[in-house]
Amino acid sequence: MEILIIFLRTVLIYFVVFLMLRIMGKREIGKLSLFDLVISIMIAEIAVFVIEDTSKPLMDGLVPMTTLVLIQILIAFITLKSRAVRVLFDGKPSVLINKGMIDREQMKKHRYNLDDLMQQLRQNKIMNVSDVEFAVLEPSGKLSVIEREAKETVEVNDGMKGTIRYEGLPLPLIMDGKVQDENLDKIGKTRFWLKNQLQVKGVRDFKEVFYCSIDHRGRIFLDHKR
């Protein structure tokens, strides 16, 4: 008998939650802001509580879930009228790359590391930071990327043309001041070669570099620490 009760409660709560999400609108399905995420998690937790504890009346779960839906609808309506409230609940977008240069302060503010950035760039079919005009971290956590119309060509003066035989994604050579020795090995270069390249660009120490990469054509992208 108890199993039948759990089955019926599960079916009922499924349709209730489904209806509530439909009432909240397609916005909840398309993207989740921090506020939307909190509401969704709380509804899910209450739904599990109602299903598991058969001794509790259904109204103990339906009332708080309905309250959360009403709060969400009210806040959504207010945010349509007030940008200040919208920013308070949804947050503001942040520019992580501005005209091909990484904004380190914004990345630190959002605890966003270089691996996260490179992964999202690859998901946007961007392989090189220098090809990016703007990269904006949206409140939903998605990275919006605008490519440069005319990609810049970076000249490499290493005195050894044709010695780089690397094909594939741009390789990070320095990340947050730390040399990636395994990637230098892949292109058959040394720290001495890398230091010479940096000196040509006015950099005296590896620690002055936030991010440095090289593509399959031997073009070096460099972003200084600020």
Side-chain angles (χ1 to χ4, degrees), residues 168-182:
L169 300 177
L171 283 176
L173 300 181
I174 301 176
M175 297 182 71
D176 202 14
K178 296 180 180 179
V179 178
Q180 308 299 301
D181 292 299
E182 66 276 12

Side-chain angles (χ1 to χ4, degrees), residues 126-220:
I126 306 292
M127 302 306 167
N128 206 334
V129 177
S130 61
D131 294 337
V132 178
E133 184 71 19
F134 294 104
V136 181
L137 183 64
E138 306 292 353
S140 63
K142 179 182 178 182
L143 190 70
S144 300
V145 181
I146 301 174
E147 288 188 76
R148 290 190 172 188
E149 292 183 3
K151 296 179 181 178
E152 296 180 357
T153 300
V154 182
E155 296 182 357
V156 179
N157 181 21
D158 63 353
M160 296 178 288
K161 290 185 178 180
T163 58
I164 297 177
R165 294 184 176 88
Y166 166 72
E167 293 186 4
L169 300 177
L171 283 176
L173 300 181
I174 301 176
M175 297 182 71
D176 202 14
K178 296 180 180 179
V179 178
Q180 308 299 301
D181 292 299
E182 66 276 12
N183 290 337
L184 279 174
D185 291 338
K186 287 181 181 179
I187 62 174
K189 298 297 181 182
T190 64
R191 286 194 175 209
F192 179 75
W193 171 85
L194 180 58
K195 193 164 188 177
N196 286 337
Q197 297 302 310
L198 296 180
Q199 287 176 347
V200 170
K201 298 178 181 296
V203 178
R204 293 175 295 178
D205 194 287
F206 295 136
K207 294 181 179 180
E208 298 177 18
V209 180
F210 179 55
Y211 180 73
C212 175
S213 67
I214 187 168
D215 64 14
H216 67 284
R217 295 181 181 177
R219 299 179 301 178
I220 290 179

Side-chain angles (χ1 to χ4, degrees), residues 9 39 86 89 141 199 207 209 218:
R9 288 168 78 104
I39 293 289
R86 186 162 61 247
F89 282 95
Q199 287 176 347
K207 294 181 179 180
V209 180

Side-chain angles (χ1 to χ4, degrees), residues 9 12-13 16 20 42-43 45-51 53-68:
R9 288 168 78 104
L12 176 62
I13 294 301
V16 169
M20 288 181 174
M42 290 184 68
I43 289 176
E45 288 291 331
I46 294 170
V48 171
F49 162 76
V50 172
I51 293 172
D53 193 347
T54 57
S55 64
K56 296 288 184 181
L58 283 173
M59 292 305 295
D60 285 1
L62 296 179
V63 170
M65 282 195 290
T66 303
T67 302
L68 289 173

